[in-house]
């Protein structure tokens, strides 16, 4: 209790419990990830020493343990229970760790140093209660429903899994299968009922929209790994309706094939939401592929008051517009945006084609170009897009919006 109240953290609580119980203590969550353990030099059980070294229990270990009669009986009880294992001679005592009535892990007492005492069952139960209070401070354990799955995704996002063999082993343990067309979907909960919480309603709706796609609560948001392309019908109707109803924003990464790249594409999804909120504040769904250009811009470029992001030749059009109260700058942008199609451009600008032709002739003389140089046309168009983004970003900084 003193270790908990002092705020020393999980490791200090576990070490204190080991000293009081006079045997090593190991904490692992429901995904069989090792969360904490006491002094490693006291643990002479080769199986658990190996589990601690790897940081998690292998699929084969989990499968073998699940078949043990003593474990199956113990799962039916809320009391501490002893486990008998033929592989090692050490006695083992286990107590469940529960947060809000939901089991999130176990605390294991290994009889490596001393025989168990009569009160050890009770003391281990108290230890589990204190550990639950400490682990319950973590929003991940409060929000997680399927810890095996959600812990696997979190480990990918934290780049803790870089070996494909280990990834496959963890996937088997979590009952997951993935193809080779993966997407990271990031759901921003900032404006969801003003709290950003991950409740049962969201879980059910996401399961309906994306059946079979695993997700987790991570850094205050929902991260989902989706296998395969998103259908236009889903995106255009059901998904847009869901986002509108909840106020949630969604960032979608590019397709990737290797789960070791999960962190990179998660960051891409996050940037899609951030940059999308600048480009189109009312739009709640943004693809990373649509904002890649802007991700390359540094803050120095975006917030530079000297407007260095403008193509110098386009400034000639702005200067001409200022003097003659014309709109050549905008006309040229619409012309480029429409792939230099005269009819579409004149229709969008609501002007006659002859009027447009006159304006384009004037632009051609001012820029000293005949519009046939594709590289130069691309440079002009990129300049327009960058300039528009920088102006929106600066305006949003002056007057923050949702």
């Amino acid at each position: 209790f003193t270790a908990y109240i002092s705020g020393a953290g999980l490791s200090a609580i576990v070490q204190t419990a080991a000293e009081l119980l006079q045997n090593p203590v190991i904490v692992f969550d429901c995904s069989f990830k090792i969360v904490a353990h006491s002094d490693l030099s006291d643990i002479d059980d080769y199986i658990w020493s190996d589990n601690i070294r790897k940081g998690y229990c292998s699929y084969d270990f989990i499968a073998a343990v699940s078949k043990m009669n003593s474990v199956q009986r113990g799962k039916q009880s809320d009391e501490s229970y002893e486990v008998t294992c033929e592989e090692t001679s050490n006695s083992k005592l286990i107590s469940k760790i529960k947060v809000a009535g939901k089991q999130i892990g176990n605390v294991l007492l290994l009889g490596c140093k001393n025989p168990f005492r009569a009160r050890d069952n009770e003391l281990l139960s108290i230890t589990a209660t204190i550990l639950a209070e400490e682990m319950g401070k973590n929003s991940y354990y409060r929000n997680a429903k399927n810890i095996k799955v959600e812990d696997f995704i979190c480990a990918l996002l934290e780049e803790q899994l870089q070996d494909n063999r280990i990834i496959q082993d963890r996937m088997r343990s979590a009952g997951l299968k993935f193809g080779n067309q993966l997407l990271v979907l990031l759901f921003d909960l900032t404006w969801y009922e003003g709290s950003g919480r991950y409740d049962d309603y969201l879980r059910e709706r996401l399961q309906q929209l994306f059946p079979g796609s695993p997700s987790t609560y991570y850094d205050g948001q929902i991260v989902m790994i989706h296998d395969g392309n998103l259908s236009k019908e889903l995106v255009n109707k059901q998904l847009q309706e869901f986002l509108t109803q909840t106020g949630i924003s969604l960032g979608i990464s590019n397709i990737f094939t290797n789960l070791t790249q999960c962190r990179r594409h998660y960051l891409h999804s996050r940037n899609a939401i951030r940059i999308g909120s600048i480009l189109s504040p009312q739009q709640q769904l943004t693809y990373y592929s649509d904002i890649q250009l802007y991700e390359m811009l540094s803050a120095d470029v975006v917030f530079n008051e000297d407007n260095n992001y403008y193509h110098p030749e386009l400034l000639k059009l702005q200067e001409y517009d200022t003097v003659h109260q014309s709109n050549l700058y905008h006309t040229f942008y619409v012309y480029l945006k429409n792939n230099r199609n005269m009819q579409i451009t004149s229709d969008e600008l609501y002007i006659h084609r002859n009027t447009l032709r006159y304006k384009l002739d004037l632009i051609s003389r001012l820029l000293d170009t005949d519009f046939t140089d594709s590289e130069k046309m691309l440079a002009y168009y990129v300049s327009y897009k960058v300039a528009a983004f920088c102006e929106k970003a600066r305006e949003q900084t002056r007057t923050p919006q949702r």
Side-chain angles (χ1 to χ4, degrees):
F1 281 116
T2 303
Y4 168 71
I5 293 170
S6 69
L10 197 64
S11 295
I13 295 172
V14 170
Q15 188 60 42
T16 301
E19 293 170 3
L20 292 171
L21 289 161
Q22 299 179 14
N23 272 308
V25 172
I26 301 170
V27 178
F28 56 99
D29 65 21
C30 284
S31 70
F32 281 84
K33 180 182 75 174
I34 307 300
V35 177
H37 58 85
S38 58
D39 194 337
L40 194 57
S41 62
D42 293 334
I43 301 174
D44 63 5
D45 187 300
Y46 78 93
I47 293 179
W48 280 101
S49 294
D50 185 56
N51 289 338
I52 291 171
R53 179 184 57 79
K54 291 187 296 187
Y56 75 99
C57 303
S58 68
Y59 172 80
D60 292 335
F61 173 87
I62 297 169
V65 166
S66 300
K67 295 176 181 177
M68 293 181 180
N69 292 330
S70 56
V71 171
Q72 292 176 356
R73 288 193 300 271
K75 287 181 177 179
Q76 308 304 316
S77 172
D78 286 333
E79 304 296 327
S80 298
Y81 60 93
E82 194 162 349
V83 173
T84 54
C85 172
E86 296 178 357
E87 290 293 323
T88 61
S89 58
N90 292 319
S91 303
K92 300 170 185 68
L93 197 62
I94 290 181
S95 191
K96 299 173 185 174
I97 301 172
K98 291 187 175 183
V99 172
K102 174 186 67 180
Q103 184 177 357
I104 63 167
N106 297 276
V107 54
L108 168 69
L109 183 66
L110 278 175
C112 295
K113 297 179 66 179
N114 297 290
F116 290 155
R117 301 166 301 180
R119 288 198 63 198
D120 282 350
N121 283 55
E122 179 188 1
L123 292 175
L124 193 65
S125 294
I126 294 173
T127 301
T129 302
I130 297 172
L131 290 170
E133 291 294 323
E134 182 66 24
M135 294 171 71
K137 296 176 183 177
N138 187 325
S139 61
Y140 167 71
Y141 287 115
R142 292 198 308 271
N143 287 280
K145 287 292 186 181
N146 187 334
I147 290 182
K148 281 187 181 181
V149 170
E150 298 181 34
D151 183 72
F152 173 71
I153 299 175
C154 287
L156 291 173
L157 296 175
E158 296 288 346
E159 294 187 314
Q160 296 172 357
L161 301 176
Q162 293 296 302
D163 186 321
N164 282 313
R165 291 173 301 176
I166 295 177
I167 288 175
Q168 292 299 319
D169 192 38
R170 293 286 297 273
M171 284 172 57
R172 290 174 65 198
S173 297
L176 293 173
K177 289 183 179 180
F178 290 109
N180 57 4
Q181 282 197 313
L182 306 175
L183 292 168
V184 170
L185 277 58
L186 177 62
F187 298 85
D188 183 352
L189 305 183
T190 303
W191 297 99
Y192 176 62
E193 297 184 358
S195 65
R197 58 196 177 88
Y198 187 12
D199 55 24
D200 290 336
Y201 166 75
L202 283 186
R203 284 191 176 88
E204 291 173 6
R205 289 290 286 123
L206 289 175
Q207 287 173 5
Q208 292 170 1
L209 290 168
F210 306 98
S213 295
S215 62
T216 188
Y217 184 82
Y218 180 78
D219 197 21
Q221 316 297 350
I222 301 172
V223 181
M224 175 181 288
I225 301 178
H226 181 71
D227 192 354
N229 284 310
L230 297 176
S231 69
K232 289 185 178 179
E233 181 181 359
L234 170 64
V235 172
N236 292 337
K237 187 177 180 182
Q238 295 171 279
L239 188 53
Q240 290 286 4
E241 182 181 347
F242 166 73
L243 297 176
T244 301
Q245 289 175 345
T246 58
I248 290 172
S249 295
L250 171 60
I252 301 177
S253 75
N254 291 341
I255 289 177
F256 61 104
T257 59
N258 194 319
L259 285 169
T260 59
Q261 301 171 338
C262 203
R263 170 75 180 179
R264 182 195 312 169
H265 288 81
Y266 157 73
L267 295 175
H268 288 174
S269 300
R270 196 170 69 179
N271 284 336
I273 293 173
R274 177 179 61 83
I275 295 173
S277 70
I278 295 172
L279 290 171
S280 304
Q282 304 308 316
Q283 185 172 305
Q284 291 174 259
L285 187 153
T286 307
Y287 291 90
Y288 176 72
S289 56
D290 292 337
I291 60 89
Q292 281 180 268
L293 166 68
Y294 307 103
E295 190 182 33
M296 295 184 289
L297 301 176
S298 67
D300 290 339
V301 171
V302 174
F303 298 105
N304 192 317
E305 296 293 338
D306 295 332
N307 297 341
N308 291 335
Y309 41 77
Y310 279 101
H311 193 292
E313 292 184 13
L314 293 179
L315 292 174
K316 296 177 184 178
L317 300 184
Q318 288 192 326
E319 292 168 1
Y320 185 92
D321 287 342
T322 301
V323 174
H324 298 88
Q325 286 78 51
S326 58
N327 63 346
L328 296 185
Y329 181 82
H330 179 65
T331 299
F332 191 39
Y333 167 68
V334 176
Y335 178 62
L336 292 174
K337 177 173 71 77
N338 290 317
N339 201 25
R340 290 176 277 171
N341 185 296
M342 292 281 290
Q343 187 61 55
I344 297 176
T345 302
S346 60
D347 290 345
E348 184 172 335
L349 293 172
Y350 298 104
I351 60 176
H352 196 275
R353 286 190 62 170
N354 289 338
T355 304
L356 175 61
R357 186 174 290 108
Y358 167 78
K359 289 188 174 187
L360 291 175
D361 288 342
L362 181 54
I363 292 170
S364 176
R365 292 196 301 273
L366 287 170
L367 300 182
D368 190 23
T369 180
D370 60 1
F371 306 141
T372 60
D373 187 336
S374 297
E375 290 293 326
K376 183 176 282 190
M377 295 303 106
L378 176 61
Y380 288 147
Y381 185 63
V382 169
S383 177
Y384 271 112
K385 302 296 285 185
V386 170
F389 173 75
C390 292
E391 289 170 4
K392 287 180 180 179
R394 288 162 60 180
E395 178 63 27
Q396 197 173 96
T397 301
R398 289 191 290 268
T399 56
Q401 305 173 24
R402 172 176 170 178

